[in-house]
Amino acid sequence: MCVFGWPITLLLFPLLGSATSSPVSTLSPTSLRPQFSPPSSHPPILSSLSSPSLSAPSPTPPFTPLTGSSEEERCTLMISPSTLVVRFGDPVTANCSVPTMDFSFLGWEVELGAPPASMTRFLVWRVDNVTEWSMRPMCYAGSDQGGHCYTWLDLTVYKPPDSVSISYVNHSGPVLEGHQYTLQCNVQDVAPVENLAVTFYRGQAALGPPQSRNNTEMTPVTEIFTLNINSSREDDGVQYWCEAKLDLGPEGPQLPPVVMSQNLTASVHYGPQFLCPTKVQVREGEALTCEVRGNPHPLVTWLRDGQVVAPPNHSSRKHAGKYTVWATGALGRKNLTLEVEILTASGTSNTDSRHFLVAVLLIQLINWL
């Protein structure tokens, strides 16, 4: 924004009328420069001239922008570029200029590297090493016709996080199925935090939209972001991680600064789970099995007719019948009853063979009668 302010008086005409003054053409920018003082908390107001041949002017009225006036339209100050995004410690350069000689001098007010006021149409502000976080550089101009104006450079100083880490809140080690836990992403020393976006991931899938903070602090801060999750056995072995990205807009780096955390591998404890049907067919010579899962892996026991047995590795007809499988884990105990059929080498079960023999005997009996 460029604003035109309250008129100021250079008192150059009394200077020309003085018997001791020299022609204006002999005045150099160096001799005029001390007469101009840049602003501290308001746009620049010209200080009193120190020449003994000049009388002190009346007190200057406080600054009041002339909104909507034709005076404001005369403020043609331009800063190029108008917006800058710079990393802390990097160099920065901006040029302030006026298209025409409507003003007598240009100046910069800024915490670092402010150049002396100049009587040229442009003035460059340059710093080799930005070491301030919340600078608001201002370019100002004054006119010997009365009036002054000023405009600001939109400057953002940023710093990527020192580190990003992920962990559980108030928990470590394995988690239990069916319980809720909170993930936390710790972002260390980042600025400005209002441009920070944090995303949680499960593998390569984002867990919700990016999170941000409504915090206008310009210096580096540490922020913690959280996300609630409900654990299930499908989460066992998955990897959680988080990503911190500084979104600095089109004037920022082409590739936004991104820092990722380490992976947090989930270990989910859950009770026994049977992965076999209640009716099982096994070929002669094959092993009788029933898969049981759990974390930690449960202890599996086979019973037949109330006696502990070992499931056969080479099944035969004598192994047909009912079995009870018990699974005992850290989170509970379950059992499953199996009805086992043994298939012959031809692919028929014992029952099918008996039915076939009975049918053959009946046919022979009918033919004999």
Side-chain angles (χ1 to χ4, degrees), residues 173-197:
V175 298
L176 301 180
E177 181 184 34
H179 289 66
Q180 186 178 84
Y181 297 88
T182 301
L183 296 174
Q184 64 179 7
C185 186
N186 191 313
V187 184
Q188 291 281 340
D189 291 335
V190 61
V193 68
E194 66 177 346
N195 294 88
L196 180 67

Side-chain angles (χ1 to χ4, degrees), residues 1-335:
M1 179 185 69
C2 185
V3 179
F4 200 87
W6 193 274
I8 57 175
T9 303
L10 293 176
L11 301 179
L12 293 178
F13 292 104
L15 182 62
L16 292 174
S18 172
T20 59
S21 62
S22 59
V24 176
S25 59
T26 63
L27 292 176
S28 66
T30 306
S31 61
L32 283 178
R33 193 173 302 128
Q35 302 174 22
F36 311 120
S37 56
S40 55
S41 59
H42 52 75
I45 301 299
L46 194 61
S47 62
S48 301
L49 295 175
S50 58
S51 173
S53 61
L54 301 177
S55 59
S58 57
T60 304
F63 167 75
T64 305
L66 303 177
T67 304
S69 68
S70 60
E71 299 285 344
E72 184 176 349
E73 297 175 357
R74 290 181 53 202
C75 187
T76 55
L77 281 176
M78 295 177 58
I79 295 181
S80 178
S82 60
T83 302
L84 274 175
V85 177
V86 59
R87 184 166 179 159
F88 187 83
D90 283 358
V92 63
T93 300
N95 179 46
C96 182
S97 63
V98 288
T100 60
M101 291 299 293
D102 293 335
F103 298 96
S104 302
F105 66 93
L106 291 176
W108 281 92
E109 181 179 298
V110 61
E111 289 86 343
L112 289 177
S118 173
M119 297 180 66
T120 59
R121 287 177 54 185
F122 67 90
L123 185 61
V124 175
W125 170 60
R126 181 180 293 108
V127 174
D128 294 330
N129 185 5
V130 174
T131 56
E132 294 287 340
W133 294 101
S134 55
M135 291 187 295
R136 196 184 183 198
M138 182 179 69
C139 178
Y140 59 90
S143 170
D144 56 359
Q145 303 300 321
H148 64 276
C149 68
Y150 57 94
T151 187
W152 285 279
L153 169 64
D154 185 3
L155 177 65
T156 299
V157 181
Y158 74 92
K159 173 186 173 296
D162 286 342
S163 64
V164 177
S165 61
I166 189 171
S167 61
Y168 293 109
V169 175
N170 299 325
H171 182 80
S172 61
V175 298
L176 301 180
E177 181 184 34
H179 289 66
Q180 186 178 84
Y181 297 88
T182 301
L183 296 174
Q184 64 179 7
C185 186
N186 191 313
V187 184
Q188 291 281 340
D189 291 335
V190 61
V193 68
E194 66 177 346
N195 294 88
L196 180 67
V198 170
T199 305
F200 288 86
Y201 289 87
R202 180 186 183 271
Q204 297 303 312
L207 298 176
Q211 300 183 26
S212 59
R213 288 283 187 269
N214 186 18
N215 185 345
T216 59
E217 176 62 46
M218 303 303 293
T219 60
V221 298
T222 295
E223 285 285 350
I224 297 177
F225 299 80
T226 59
L227 179 72
N228 293 328
I229 59 171
N230 294 310
S231 62
S232 67
R233 63 188 62 190
E234 288 77 17
D235 297 325
D236 186 43
V238 304
Q239 293 182 330
Y240 294 103
W241 56 284
C242 61
E243 173 189 88
K245 178 168 67 175
L246 275 176
D247 187 0
L248 299 165
E251 292 81 13
Q254 186 175 4
L255 296 177
V258 175
V259 180
M260 296 180 292
S261 72
Q262 82 287 5
N263 290 328
L264 175 64
T265 303
S267 176
V268 182
H269 282 189
Y270 56 92
Q273 178 185 15
F274 292 98
L275 300 181
C276 56
T278 56
K279 292 186 178 181
V280 179
Q281 291 182 332
V282 182
R283 291 183 181 274
E284 286 183 311
E286 293 182 351
L288 174 60
T289 62
C290 177
E291 184 179 359
V292 183
R293 291 181 182 176
N295 189 20
H297 195 275
L299 174 66
V300 180
T301 305
W302 290 68
L303 300 176
R304 186 181 186 188
D305 299 328
Q307 301 296 318
V308 177
V309 296
N313 292 324
H314 301 279
S315 300
S316 63
R317 295 182 182 181
K318 68 179 181 179
H319 294 125
K322 290 186 177 181
Y323 293 81
T324 300
V325 182
W326 281 93
T328 305
L331 300 179
R333 190 168 187 247
K334 291 183 179 179
N335 70 80

